[in-house]
Amino acid sequence: MDDIPRSFWYRVFEALPGAVSWSILIGPFIASFWFPRAVAIFITMYVLLWFLRSLKSSIFLVFSYRKSRKFETLNWNHLLQFFTDAAPAAHTSLEKETAERTSFLRGDGKFKKWTDIYHVVIIATYKEEKEILETTIDALRQVDYPLDKIILVLATEERDRMRALTNAAYLTERFSRTFGQFHHIMHPANVPGEIAGKGANISHAGQKIAAILKDQGIDFSSVLVTSLDADNRPHPQYFEVLTYHYLMEPKRDKRSFQPLAYFYNNIWEVPFTNRLIALANTFWFLAESGESHHLFNASVYAQSLKMLSEVNFWSRQTIVEDLHQFWRAYFHYHGDHEVIPLFIPVYQDALQNRTYFTSLIGQYRQLRRWAWGASEIPYAFFKAWKHRQKLPVYRTISRLTYLCYLQITWATAPIIILFNTAIPTLLNPKFAHSIFAFNLSQVLSVIFLLMTIGIVISLFMSLIALPRPRGRFSGIQFASALLQWILLPFVTIIYGSIPAIDAQTRLMINKPLGFGVTEKIRKIN
């Protein structure tokens, strides 16, 4: 991948996530015949670790949600006025913090005016109809930011040439005079050394728009680039919040900026399993944003054009370009790279195909593609070793550990938690009647009782965060969405563990996934 040769040892590390996950899943069944006590202790410790981690995530979920609601009430246009030559008087604590930071930035020669900031928005599209793209661009037209400072790039694929040209002609005619600039850039097909997918598309578009802006004499450090999928709709304050955080950050050109992902656009039109997964993913983004020192690039994020040009834009050789982009930047800047959370949402679609059944299959395939993030483990470890003399030790170990933790628990946690001590007790009846087994089962009963706290919090968050359905049976729909959390343990196995194990097993046997494009079908509201 990229500049790392796939040597024998690289293949060993590629097989490692799957080997560990399968060992965790199969090991207890085998060991239960000879070491039932050790298996029971292992499962209890695993469940306890998962419970503590889940409790922590629930706390950060509530914290992030409350912060996001606060962000939506702030006057970001007023806060941006501190990044002018005529800054207003500071009254609130946030205004005083902003005034102090701008004073520091002026003294350090890093002050920028907010009116000098441009936003490039790259909309990657492949096989989407113009109606989907139209709603996304229409949402951009309604943002609280000067539209003449927004440069829209429609990044299409030559593999879908006729549709791309038709869509581009229609959208150019409708929106070209709305924004400061409107560009259509088509990514050529069958480029040697590329994996056909979003990364190659937006990297090509990024390089082309960089050349255009360079000819226009625009400073790359004054340009922020956000890549959107065809169904994404930024919150009206997104660009104000992004600009503010970018200007507040002294090392702004070594930072990524991550908004929240709310999968709400079509939440009431998808199968209940897809709705539950969309809610779980939304809450996961919220919890991760609260614990920002663990945050990786995911879904929608922004980086400066200066940074993108320094890291050679995005990788063209992976189907998980967002997570890979974090590691590329992290190693390029020798560990001096972080993801800054923006507690403002970009609204996205829950997965929906043309039929109920294909929506279920499509959801599985999408999650399997996301689980291909396990392929980042060998890349990250090999790059860390290569640059070990230049990297901060603790931060790098912490990042690598968390990456492994996410991938392994994704594949194993739902299954281990569902079966828990049933594994040694069913396979070893003698152990099942021991006092030790009874005591451990009591301990686990308490842990599982406490774990319902997380489900209750998710229920509560659903109650206050979900957009309300419309129509004759809206009340029944909303009530059923809350009751669906009861099915979470089974859904997380079918749409959590299994696609993750599928991806890791394919990585083990060197059967790579291609970029499966998520079909975007939606009633246009």
Side-chain angles (χ1 to χ4, degrees):
M1 186 183 291
D2 288 344
D3 59 337
I4 300 293
R6 297 181 78 248
S7 62
F8 168 79
W9 287 109
Y10 193 90
R11 281 290 300 129
V12 169
F13 271 79
E14 280 188 327
L16 198 58
V20 172
S21 293
W22 277 114
S23 297
I24 291 174
L25 293 174
I26 296 176
F29 287 93
I30 298 174
S32 292
F33 291 103
W34 298 281
F35 309 105
R37 180 174 294 194
V39 170
I41 292 174
F42 166 76
I43 291 174
T44 303
M45 296 303 295
Y46 187 103
V47 172
L48 180 60
L49 173 66
W50 180 255
F51 161 69
L52 294 174
R53 177 65 200 169
S54 299
L55 183 60
K56 187 178 181 182
S57 295
S58 297
I59 294 170
F60 280 112
L61 167 62
V62 176
F63 165 80
S64 295
Y65 179 76
R66 293 187 63 183
K67 192 166 184 177
S68 70
R69 294 302 299 267
K70 180 181 179 181
F71 267 41
E72 292 182 23
T73 64
L74 292 174
N75 187 342
W76 292 101
N77 183 268
H78 176 71
L79 289 169
L80 287 176
Q81 300 312 308
F82 286 91
F83 295 93
T84 63
D85 290 332
H91 300 293
T92 67
S93 58
L94 183 56
E95 290 174 358
K96 291 176 182 177
E97 178 187 345
T98 305
E100 290 175 4
R101 179 60 64 87
T102 55
S103 178
F104 166 78
L105 292 170
R106 287 180 190 274
D108 208 28
K110 296 179 180 178
F111 177 81
K112 276 183 174 293
K113 296 180 182 179
W114 81 271
T115 51
D116 293 337
I117 301 299
Y118 292 85
H119 289 275
V120 170
V121 181
I122 301 176
I123 301 178
T125 173
Y126 177 62
K127 292 188 175 181
E128 282 89 18
E129 300 299 339
K130 65 179 183 296
E131 290 81 7
I132 297 288
L133 295 162
E134 190 174 20
T135 56
T136 295
I137 299 175
D138 197 51
L140 289 169
R141 189 176 61 174
Q142 300 174 43
V143 298
D144 299 330
Y145 199 85
L147 296 183
D148 62 333
K149 293 290 185 179
I150 295 179
I151 300 165
L152 193 62
V153 178
L154 187 65
T156 63
E157 291 280 4
E158 189 180 27
R159 293 175 290 145
D160 190 34
R161 183 179 182 84
M162 294 308 298
R163 190 196 328 257
L165 291 174
T166 301
N167 289 351
Y170 172 80
L171 296 170
T172 301
E173 173 64 24
R174 180 168 180 203
F175 295 108
S176 62
R177 292 174 294 277
T178 302
F179 304 97
Q181 298 181 44
F182 189 107
H183 299 276
H184 171 220
I185 298 174
M186 184 177 289
H187 174 241
N190 304 317
V191 178
E194 288 188 355
I195 292 178
K198 181 180 176 181
N201 187 352
I202 61 178
S203 187
H204 175 77
Q207 289 180 323
K208 293 294 184 180
I209 197 65
I212 293 171
L213 297 183
K214 183 178 180 180
D215 290 342
Q216 295 175 0
I218 296 177
D219 179 13
F220 282 9
S221 66
S222 295
V223 180
L224 278 162
V225 181
T226 302
S227 63
L228 298 179
D229 286 343
D231 61 293
N232 295 171
R233 302 178 188 177
H235 188 279
Q237 294 176 305
Y238 167 72
F239 293 106
E240 290 180 316
V241 175
L242 172 58
T243 303
Y244 173 84
H245 283 80
Y246 180 70
L247 295 176
M248 284 283 284
E249 179 58 47
K251 296 183 178 181
R252 57 178 74 102
D253 291 319
K254 296 181 180 180
R255 300 291 181 261
S256 298
F257 300 86
Q258 177 84 51
L260 301 170
Y262 282 8
F263 297 89
Y264 288 168
N265 286 343
N266 59 340
I267 193 71
W268 297 112
E269 300 167 18
V270 300
F272 79 90
T273 52
N274 297 33
R275 183 184 307 127
L276 186 57
I277 292 164
L279 282 172
N281 288 334
T282 297
F283 293 168
W284 184 85
F285 271 100
L286 277 163
E288 290 291 294
S289 294
E291 201 173 4
S292 59
H293 65 281
H294 282 155
L295 198 57
F296 293 116
N297 293 338
S299 189
V300 179
Y301 55 95
Q303 297 171 326
S304 74
L305 187 56
K306 180 176 184 293
M307 174 180 168
L308 284 170
S309 64
E310 289 175 350
V311 302
N312 195 23
F313 298 89
W314 290 270
S315 172
R316 298 168 182 253
Q317 300 172 353
T318 179
I319 65 171
V320 283
E321 82 293 330
D322 45 10
L323 178 58
H324 191 58
Q325 183 72 351
F326 170 85
W327 290 110
R328 293 175 78 240
Y330 185 85
F331 294 121
H332 181 84
Y333 295 115
H334 305 305
D336 191 12
H337 172 64
E338 296 176 9
V339 181
I340 308 298
L342 307 177
F343 293 92
I344 204 77
V346 170
Y347 297 97
Q348 305 184 34
D349 282 9
L351 191 140
Q352 182 180 19
N353 289 165
R354 296 184 184 276
T355 69
Y356 193 98
F357 178 74
T358 57
S359 293
L360 299 178
I361 298 298
Q363 183 69 81
Y364 178 89
R365 290 174 175 169
Q366 183 191 63
L367 292 168
R368 184 179 61 180
R369 175 165 58 84
W370 291 1
W372 195 253
S375 64
E376 291 300 300
I377 291 176
Y379 174 82
F381 271 90
F382 269 71
K383 290 286 282 189
W385 179 255
K386 182 178 179 180
H387 296 278
R388 61 189 181 277
Q389 301 296 334
K390 301 176 181 178
L391 294 171
V393 176
Y394 175 77
R395 182 184 298 175
T396 303
I397 292 175
S398 175
R399 289 288 190 177
L400 292 172
T401 301
Y402 193 61
L403 174 66
C404 295
Y405 167 84
L406 286 178
Q407 300 301 324
I408 300 303
T409 55
W410 186 349
T412 61
I415 295 175
I416 292 295
I417 290 172
L418 182 64
F419 288 102
N420 56 80
T421 53
I423 298 172
T425 54
L426 288 176
L427 296 178
N428 196 321
K430 183 178 179 181
F431 173 75
H433 295 92
S434 68
I435 297 176
F436 187 84
F438 175 79
N439 290 335
L440 276 184
S441 67
Q442 296 302 303
V443 171
L444 276 174
S445 298
V446 174
I447 294 174
F448 283 123
L449 181 62
L450 293 174
M451 285 178 71
T452 58
I453 295 173
I455 297 178
V456 170
I457 290 175
S458 297
L459 273 168
F460 176 73
M461 292 297 298
S462 299
L463 185 65
I464 63 176
L466 256 178
R468 296 302 189 266
R470 298 176 182 178
R472 184 177 177 184
F473 300 105
S474 60
I476 297 174
Q477 275 188 301
F478 189 71
S480 66
L482 300 181
L483 293 174
Q484 284 164 13
W485 284 100
I486 299 173
L487 301 175
L488 185 64
F490 305 100
V491 173
T492 52
I493 289 178
I494 299 170
Y495 288 100
S497 284
I498 295 177
I501 293 168
D502 187 347
Q504 292 177 18
T505 303
R506 286 170 177 266
L507 192 59
M508 284 180 70
I509 63 178
N510 198 23
K511 189 178 179 181
L513 285 172
F515 190 93
V517 177
T518 301
E519 185 182 21
K520 294 178 175 62
I521 303 297
R522 187 200 324 139
K523 296 176 184 176
I524 306 301
N525 297 317

